[in-house]
């Protein structure tokens, strides 16, 4: 078997991955679940349904369903699925007695089914994970937590567990049980654990009740996505599909219940990841979850394949009543359709999404779909409708103190005001955007990779603030934006992870912008603007240009030419004609040296106009 396919698989194998889906296909895929759902007939179906209910935040119903089928006879694999869901329900509810009972039942089932190594490893990891609400360190929890039952074991010393088995089971159980309160989920560490588990798996595969490779690869894809490694997540998700295809298990009896729990309108973790639930997932569920990951990771770079992956997941859900999952997939679908330029299909999908997002139980889950609908309305030039939806999302985001959502709302609001020509309102939105980008970049829970992108966003927003303020003649706002840019870009100011040439370019841009703002204010006769400040800011801009990184001399020459160009115009506006002619001459020579003949001719025309008698 060859993993990490070089080309993307064709969703459904029908050759439509390069075309926009028809409206008929969208109508069928966007239908709600076929209610009422049929009752589960056996333990396997009950486990899958309980997992869906758990993901839909209906823990009480999931617990009732698990209890109803707990005593039913079933193969060990199916009972393992049911008990895993029951254990997670008990852990989420904080029911210590039920946790002890389900943990003991899980370990006993593995031991009696002939998998003592896996049973011992699960018992060890259950104590390490501390689902018993015990404070303190992992060692303290292991010492204090109730021990799983030892029924069915021979007397004597505890069974020694192989390191490989522990590595695999730890990776499996990490998302199966909530960790200690206050634990920060780091998807990069999760990805490292999952890679280690996949490396250790061949040594213990035969000692496990079922082969967890596909499940581990799926969780690796989700962890990489949460860590911002979209290329790695795409490869891992493709590996899942390849593995399931090689096993001949791409379609299965549980295909109707394909709950792609890696997706959905869930609260993102600290790094944007959505943890996979602790249920054993059937082959078709894993395939659908892989399609969901691919839909998200390909949405920007390859929108049409992303659209078809999202549809593949949605089409496998006619008998799934899981609003967070369904709305999350449709949100991804809408973004892909917009990126692909499918206007009619995006409009239809946005209408369905605007309706379906009301079925979500918590307001926090509505933010992402509302922002997606608002973006589509802006794209369709329905600005009044976009503003209504955008304000709904913004109001919820403020109530939830969701800075990332407020950042995206401000970005969208700035775009909306730009399109309607309201420069002052756009300036306010850009200031809000920069504020939230700064807050997130300075947050201790933000990863280094995410911090770099947030600092880039902050710098770009502040640069736009500076330009809009220049257009509006707001010198004070320009000065404030320049201070924020200097804070991020001066040498040794911060470890942003951004290229030094990018930081230098922003620093030069800021100083040139402040020079222009002061010169314009001086020409207007604004209070506090004088020739001394004007000359000072020009010297500071020249000094910044002179600190260019190696290899960027050409860019520095451009900045020097542009500075002299603006200097000539500003001097002319101030009535300093002689100095303006000299500056225009220097600027013209610089433009000629750079090969910008049109700019050089423009400077020559300025010199001629200044030389003419008044």
């Amino acid at each position: 078997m060859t993993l990490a396919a070089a080309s993307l698989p064709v969703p459904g194998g029908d050759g439509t991955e390069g075309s926009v889906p028809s409206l008929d296909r969208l109508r069928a895929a966007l239908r709600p679940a076929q209610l009422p759902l049929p009752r589960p007939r056996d333990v396997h179906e009950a486990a899958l349904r309980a997992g869906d209910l758990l993901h839909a935040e209906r823990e009480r119903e999931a617990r009732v369903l698990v209890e109803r089928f707990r005593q039913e006879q079933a193969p060990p694999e199916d009972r393992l699925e049911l008990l895993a869901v029951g254990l997670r329900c008990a852990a989420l509810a904080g029911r210590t007695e039920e946790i002890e009972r389900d943990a003991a039942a899980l370990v006993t089932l593995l031991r009696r089914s002939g998998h003592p190594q896996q049973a011992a490893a699960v018992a060890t990891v259950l104590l390490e994970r501390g689902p018993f609400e015990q404070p303190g360190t992992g060692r303290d929890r292991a010492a204090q937590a109730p021990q799983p039952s030892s029924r069915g074991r021979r007397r004597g010393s505890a069974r020694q567990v192989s390191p490989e088995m522990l590595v695999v089971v730890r990776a499996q159980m990490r998302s199966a049980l909530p960790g200690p309160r206050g634990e920060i989920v780091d998807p990069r560490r999760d990805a490292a654990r999952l890679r280690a588990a996949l490396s250790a798996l061949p040594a213990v595969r035969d000692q496990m009740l079922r082969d967890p490779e596909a499940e581990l690869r799926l969780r690796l894809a989700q962890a990489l996505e949460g860590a911002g490694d979209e290329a790695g997540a795409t490869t891992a998700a493709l590996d899942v599909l390849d593995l399931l295809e090689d096993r001949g298990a791409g379609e299965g009896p549980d295909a109707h219940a394909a709950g792609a729990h890696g997706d959905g309108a869930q609260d993102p973790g600290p790094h944007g990841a959505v943890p996979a639930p602790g249920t054993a997932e059937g082959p078709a569920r894993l395939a659908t979850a892989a399609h969901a990951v691919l839909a998200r990771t390909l949405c920007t770079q390859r929108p049409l394949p992303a659209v078809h992956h999202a549809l593949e997941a949605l089409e496998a859900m006619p008998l799934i009543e899981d609003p967070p999952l369904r709305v999350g997939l449709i949100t991804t679908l809408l973004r892909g359709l917009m990126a692909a330029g499918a206007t009619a299909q995006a409009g239809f999908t946005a209408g369905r999404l605007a309706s379906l997002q009301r079925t979500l139980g918590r307001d926090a889950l509505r933010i992402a779909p509302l922002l997606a609908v608002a973006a589509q309305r802006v794209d369709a030039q329905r600005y009044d409708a976009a503003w209504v939806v955008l304000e709904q999302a913004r109001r919820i985001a403020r109530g939830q103190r969701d800075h990332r959502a407020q950042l995206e709302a401000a970005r969208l609001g700035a775009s909306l005001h730009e399109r309607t020509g309201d420069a002052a309102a756009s300036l306010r939105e850009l200031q809000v955007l920069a504020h939230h980008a700064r807050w997130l970049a300075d947050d201790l829970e933000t990863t280094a990779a995410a911090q770099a992108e947030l600092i880039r966003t902050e710098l770009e927003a502040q640069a736009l603030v500076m330009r809009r303020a220049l257009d509006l003649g707001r010198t004070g706002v320009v000065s404030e934006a320049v201070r924020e840019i200097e804070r991020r870009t001066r040498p040794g100011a911060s470890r942003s992870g951004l290229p030094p040439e990018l930081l230098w370019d922003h620093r030069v841009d800021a100083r040139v912008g402040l020079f222009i703002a002061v010169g314009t204010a001086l020409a207007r006769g604004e209070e506090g603007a004088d020739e001394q400040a004007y000359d000072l800011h020009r010297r500071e801009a020249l000094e910044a240009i002179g600190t260019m990184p190696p290899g960027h001399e050409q860019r520095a020459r451009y900045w020097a030419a542009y500075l002299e160009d603006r200097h000539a115009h500003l001097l002319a506006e101030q009535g300093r004609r002689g100095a303006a002619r000299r500056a225009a001459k220097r600027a013209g020579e610089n433009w000629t040296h750079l090969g910008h003949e049109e700019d050089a001719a423009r400077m020559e025309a300025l010199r001629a106009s200044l030389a003419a008698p008044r």
Side-chain angles (χ1 to χ4, degrees), residues 34 71 82 88 90 93 105 112 116 119 132 134 142 168 217 247 306 308 333-334 340 379 386 463 497 505 536-537 562:
Q34 299 175 10
Q71 303 303 324
L82 188 73
R88 181 168 177 80
R112 290 180 175 175
F132 306 100
Q134 298 289 341
V168 173
R217 291 194 180 279
R247 291 178 179 176
H308 287 281
L333 173 64
L334 175 57
D379 194 54
D505 206 54
L536 172 64
H537 290 304
Y562 178 77

Side-chain angles (χ1 to χ4, degrees), residues 534-614:
Y534 175 80
D535 293 335
L536 172 64
H537 290 304
R538 178 172 173 268
R539 288 196 301 272
E540 289 179 344
L542 285 170
E543 289 174 2
I545 293 170
T547 62
M548 73 283 188
H552 292 270
E553 291 77 9
Q554 188 75 359
R555 179 66 173 169
R557 281 193 288 269
Y558 167 82
W559 273 119
Y562 178 77
L563 181 65
E564 287 301 318
D565 187 318
R566 297 302 305 160
H567 183 39
H569 281 92
L570 290 169
L571 288 172
E573 291 176 12
Q574 296 166 24
R576 299 162 66 182
R577 297 169 66 87
R581 284 199 304 273
R582 291 191 294 274
K585 180 181 179 181
R586 291 193 299 271
E589 292 172 350
N590 287 341
W591 286 130
T592 300
H593 180 74
L594 290 169
H596 293 199
E597 298 302 332
E598 291 185 7
D599 291 316
R602 184 168 48 78
M603 287 295 99
E604 188 60 33
L606 177 62
R607 286 183 65 199
S609 68
L610 292 170
R614 298 185 182 183

Side-chain angles (χ1 to χ4, degrees), residues 135-183:
T137 65
R139 180 179 299 176
D140 294 335
R141 290 194 300 271
Q144 299 174 23
Q147 299 290 328
S149 170
S150 60
R151 288 177 296 173
R153 292 190 55 181
R154 293 182 298 175
R155 295 177 183 175
S157 60
R159 182 180 299 276
Q160 295 298 315
V161 185
S162 69
E164 294 83 2
M165 180 65 79
L166 275 175
V167 168
V168 173
V169 172
R170 282 192 183 111
Q172 276 189 298
M173 300 295 291
R174 180 165 182 79
S175 57
L177 295 169
R181 287 182 178 179
E183 181 183 36

Side-chain angles (χ1 to χ4, degrees), residues 354-418:
S355 175
L356 287 171
Q357 58 87 21
R358 298 188 185 98
T359 66
L360 296 170
R362 289 190 293 121
D363 279 347
L365 304 182
R366 300 173 56 206
I367 299 173
L370 285 171
L371 288 175
V373 172
Q376 189 279 327
R377 301 289 191 248
V378 171
D379 194 54
Q381 299 183 12
R382 297 176 56 191
Y383 301 130
D384 290 340
W387 191 252
V388 171
V389 180
L390 179 59
E391 283 304 299
Q392 290 179 21
R394 200 196 303 266
R395 184 171 59 254
I396 298 171
R398 286 171 180 160
Q400 300 291 324
R401 298 183 180 179
D402 187 337
H403 290 272
R404 190 171 295 276
Q406 291 182 76
L407 181 152
E408 295 302 330
R411 192 199 305 272
L412 193 55
S415 174
L416 195 158
H417 289 304
E418 286 289 329

Side-chain angles (χ1 to χ4, degrees), residues 200-550:
L201 181 59
V204 297
R205 194 191 308 267
D206 294 340
Q207 302 173 38
M208 304 190 73
L209 180 58
R210 59 183 178 83
D211 187 352
E213 181 176 358
E215 181 183 350
L216 292 174
R217 291 194 180 279
L218 171 64
R219 292 182 180 175
L220 175 61
Q222 294 168 341
L224 291 171
E225 181 191 3
D229 184 359
E230 293 190 349
T234 299
T235 298
L238 292 176
D239 289 348
V240 175
L241 295 178
D242 287 346
L243 181 61
L244 295 175
E245 183 179 2
D246 287 351
R247 291 178 179 176
E251 297 294 334
D254 63 325
H256 68 278
H261 293 296
D263 196 276
Q266 288 183 286
D267 289 328
H271 313 288
V274 178
T279 61
E281 298 179 81
R285 287 175 169 272
L286 293 169
T288 305
H291 283 300
V293 172
L294 289 168
R296 295 191 297 271
T297 58
L298 297 174
C299 191
T300 303
Q301 300 297 325
R302 303 191 61 175
L304 278 177
V307 163
H308 287 281
H309 282 294
L311 285 173
E312 190 84 1
L314 285 166
E315 288 167 346
M317 295 178 57
L319 298 180
I320 289 289
E321 186 187 8
D322 188 344
L325 170 60
R326 189 178 300 276
V327 171
L329 281 169
I330 297 173
T331 301
T332 303
L333 173 64
L334 175 57
R335 290 171 179 156
L337 289 168
M338 291 174 59
T343 305
Q345 289 82 352
F348 175 78
T349 303
R352 292 292 299 132
L353 183 57
S355 175
L356 287 171
Q357 58 87 21
R358 298 188 185 98
T359 66
L360 296 170
R362 289 190 293 121
D363 279 347
L365 304 182
R366 300 173 56 206
I367 299 173
L370 285 171
L371 288 175
V373 172
Q376 189 279 327
R377 301 289 191 248
V378 171
D379 194 54
Q381 299 183 12
R382 297 176 56 191
Y383 301 130
D384 290 340
W387 191 252
V388 171
V389 180
L390 179 59
E391 283 304 299
Q392 290 179 21
R394 200 196 303 266
R395 184 171 59 254
I396 298 171
R398 286 171 180 160
Q400 300 291 324
R401 298 183 180 179
D402 187 337
H403 290 272
R404 190 171 295 276
Q406 291 182 76
L407 181 152
E408 295 302 330
R411 192 199 305 272
L412 193 55
S415 174
L416 195 158
H417 289 304
E418 286 289 329
R419 293 181 180 226
T420 57
D422 191 342
S426 176
L427 172 61
R428 289 192 296 272
E429 294 285 2
L430 289 168
Q431 288 176 303
V432 173
L433 170 59
H435 165 75
H436 289 295
R438 174 181 176 178
W439 192 96
L440 288 165
D442 292 339
D443 185 8
L444 294 177
E445 293 187 6
T446 301
T447 63
Q451 184 186 46
E453 285 306 309
L454 286 164
I455 291 176
R456 183 193 296 268
T457 298
E458 180 191 357
L459 289 172
E460 291 172 352
Q462 293 289 8
L464 288 172
V465 166
M466 182 180 70
R467 281 163 174 74
R468 299 297 174 272
L470 279 170
D471 294 340
L472 295 169
R474 299 184 182 179
T475 308
V477 176
V478 172
S479 299
E480 182 180 348
V482 169
R483 282 197 300 272
E484 291 301 317
I485 294 173
E486 287 272 5
R487 186 178 74 89
R488 289 294 191 192
T489 60
R490 65 178 181 267
S494 65
R495 298 177 181 178
S496 66
L498 295 174
E501 59 271 18
L502 176 66
L503 298 176
W504 168 76
D505 206 54
H506 273 291
R507 186 165 63 254
V508 172
D509 181 50
R511 291 192 177 180
V512 170
L514 183 57
F515 158 72
I516 294 171
V518 172
T520 304
L522 181 60
R524 290 196 305 264
E526 189 174 303
E527 185 179 354
D530 54 39
E531 292 185 9
Q532 184 178 0
Y534 175 80
D535 293 335
L536 172 64
H537 290 304
R538 178 172 173 268
R539 288 196 301 272
E540 289 179 344
L542 285 170
E543 289 174 2
I545 293 170
T547 62
M548 73 283 188

